[in-house]
Amino acid sequence: PFFKEFNAEAFPDTAKLLAKLNANENPYGPSPMAVEAFKGATTLGNRYAWKELFDLMDKIAVKEGVKIENIMMGPGSSDLLEKTAMVMFAKGGNVVSADPSYMSLIKVAQATGASWKPVPLKDDWSHDLKGMEAAIDKDTKLVYICNPNNPTGSMTDHAELVDFCSRVSEKVPVFVDEAYLDFLEDAAKKSMVSLVTQGKDVIIARTFSKIHGMAGLRVGYIVAQESTLDKIQDITRGGMGITYPSVYAASASMDDIAFQEKSRKLNAECREFVYATLDKMGYTYVPSSTSFILFPIEMEGKSFLEKMTAQGVGVRAFDIMDKNWCRVSMGTMDEMKIFASALQKVLV
Ligand code: PLP
């Protein structure tokens, strides 16, 4: 792998930060409707929420155009990435993914006994689909694609990805992590979910942590073939990890379309502000389809984080291809202004 992260430095004491831009959280959430629903359900917390969870799954099934049997819920999509990895790699094998990409599934695959076959992103930061297909061998148990990708924020061409998933899933299941897809105007059209209804062995992960602003309330789901979910759910129960109030909050948040639109719009405005800031400073960046922006910095990651933290700004730093990079999450516009002035002090 040719990227690494500076972790301990990335999470300073939250209370001391003026702008917390280090975990791709949605600064506007949860939606007021979700908060009300959550509050109203706290006294039900002596019960398991199975019936209510099935109601939520029904609602998600309608939204995604699939059957309830095609859905597995979890306390955030991390849980489902990890459970998928534990089940798929129980007998070893390898996982093919881009590098750099989101490491949650890959790390659990490795810990479970699998090896990782990283395929560098292309120069335009999209997935090297040809390279990934060539990397698949008889031991490959899963291909992991994060689209849009984290930590780069970049997208892979829709038609090429549909083609890749359709063909490759005949040989090996393809896991597509769409955590940030909702920040696109036309997210539904860009999702790989319709491949599930076409019978393809793809697994799509979605989360309430990003556009819904519910990172701390922990709800996510995967959409896949029933037979694939059977393998995972035979030994694990994702729904067991979701709290009663969070089930209600997720359902209410799905109805709050205005909140999602607001998050999308303000996120896009902040992205434009950061682009303009970086342009003015003479810095380049990876054009983002997400709620964060990755850009190269001329400073070693650890000291950059220390200096930004001293300014009250939490961001992330990566070493990618032996260069230093900053990943900044979109906060409120006020937070982005604090970030911009901190950056000018730290980097100039
Ligand atoms: N997938 C990607 C690409 C992410 O960036 C994240 C969180 O940042 C997740 C999955 C997991 O999010 P959660 O477990 O909150 O759904």
Side-chain angles (χ1 to χ4, degrees):
F2 51 64
F3 92 108
K4 77 169 190 237
E5 207 196 334
F6 306 91
N7 251 323
E9 295 81 5
F11 291 102
D13 185 353
T14 303
K16 293 197 187 120
L17 290 179
L18 303 171
K20 186 178 184 305
L21 310 171
N22 55 6
N24 299 343
E25 295 148 340
N26 178 340
Y28 314 106
S31 116
M33 281 164 65
V35 171
E36 275 314 299
F38 188 96
K39 280 192 202 154
T42 51
T43 54
L44 301 169
N46 61 319
R47 305 283 179 198
Y48 294 110
W50 289 120
K51 159 79 174 71
E52 292 71 17
L53 190 72
F54 293 143
D55 291 344
L56 176 62
M57 289 165 75
D58 269 332
K59 198 163 173 173
I60 292 170
V62 170
K63 175 185 172 261
E64 300 290 4
V66 297
K67 290 189 284 185
I68 192 169
E69 290 81 7
N70 298 118
I71 292 169
M72 176 176 176
M73 303 297 301
S77 57
S78 300
D79 182 67
L80 298 162
L81 270 73
E82 293 171 11
K83 285 194 163 106
T84 303
M86 285 190 289
V87 171
M88 296 276 182
F89 299 100
K91 296 196 179 98
N94 68 58
V95 55
V96 172
S97 89
D99 182 22
S101 192
Y102 191 65
M103 294 303 289
S104 177
L105 183 149
I106 294 153
K107 278 186 182 165
V108 175
Q110 287 176 306
T112 308
S115 56
W116 178 32
K117 293 185 90 177
V119 178
L121 290 171
K122 293 201 291 193
D123 289 347
D124 66 358
W125 302 99
S126 66
H127 280 80
D128 177 3
L129 297 174
K130 280 204 186 86
M132 291 179 76
E133 193 165 354
I136 296 168
D137 61 30
K138 61 173 182 24
D139 296 323
T140 305
K141 298 280 188 286
L142 191 75
V143 175
Y144 173 77
I145 295 206
C146 186
N147 194 51
N149 190 42
N150 186 4
T152 54
S154 49
M155 282 291 284
T156 295
D157 180 78
H158 179 70
E160 283 173 29
L161 189 56
V162 170
D163 177 60
F164 174 87
C165 291
S166 307
R167 243 166 346 89
V168 168
S169 64
E170 299 290 326
K171 292 182 270 187
V172 50
V174 182
F175 192 112
V176 188
D177 184 340
E178 296 184 349
Y180 296 96
L181 196 77
D182 288 311
F183 287 102
L184 300 177
E185 294 290 342
D186 54 351
K189 282 192 207 140
K190 293 283 163 68
S191 174
M192 293 294 134
V193 149
S194 59
L195 293 174
V196 174
T197 48
Q198 293 169 30
K200 304 288 182 187
D201 197 2
V202 293
I203 306 164
I204 318 297
R206 309 297 299 262
T207 179
F208 283 82
S209 298
K210 307 299 174 184
I211 199 82
H212 291 277
M214 287 178 41
L217 301 186
R218 315 304 303 136
V219 186
Y221 59 92
I222 51 177
V223 185
Q225 296 305 327
E226 193 179 343
S227 54
T228 303
L229 294 184
D230 279 350
K231 281 185 214 145
I232 305 170
Q233 298 188 111
D234 194 32
I235 49 170
T236 69
R237 284 186 297 168
M240 200 67 175
I242 312 179
T243 72
Y244 211 127
S246 291
V247 171
Y248 272 38
S251 180
S253 192
M254 286 178 76
D255 295 336
D256 197 346
I257 304 295
F259 172 79
Q260 293 162 48
E261 278 167 4
K262 176 181 119 177
S263 296
R264 199 175 295 117
K265 179 170 163 283
L266 296 179
N267 179 68
E269 284 172 17
C270 285
R271 272 192 323 225
E272 290 305 321
F273 173 79
V274 174
Y275 292 159
T277 303
L278 294 172
D279 283 341
K280 262 186 255 154
M281 291 176 68
Y283 276 81
T284 59
Y285 46 82
V286 181
S288 168
S289 303
T290 61
S291 56
F292 56 88
I293 295 173
L294 184 75
F295 61 97
I297 49 172
E298 305 266 314
M299 189 181 289
E300 187 266 325
K302 192 168 177 302
S303 57
F304 173 70
L305 288 181
E306 281 164 2
K307 291 192 166 102
M308 289 298 278
T309 304
Q311 297 291 325
V313 178
V315 290
R316 296 282 272 273
F318 294 86
D319 179 334
I320 303 173
M321 290 175 279
D322 292 329
K323 287 197 187 109
N324 293 299
W325 300 76
C326 168
R327 193 197 71 185
V328 59
S329 309
M330 297 306 103
T332 61
M333 190 57 92
D334 283 349
E335 286 178 298
M336 300 329 289
K337 286 180 182 159
I338 294 168
F339 160 76
S341 66
L343 199 67
Q344 274 147 11
K345 284 190 200 125
V346 167
L347 287 183
V348 174

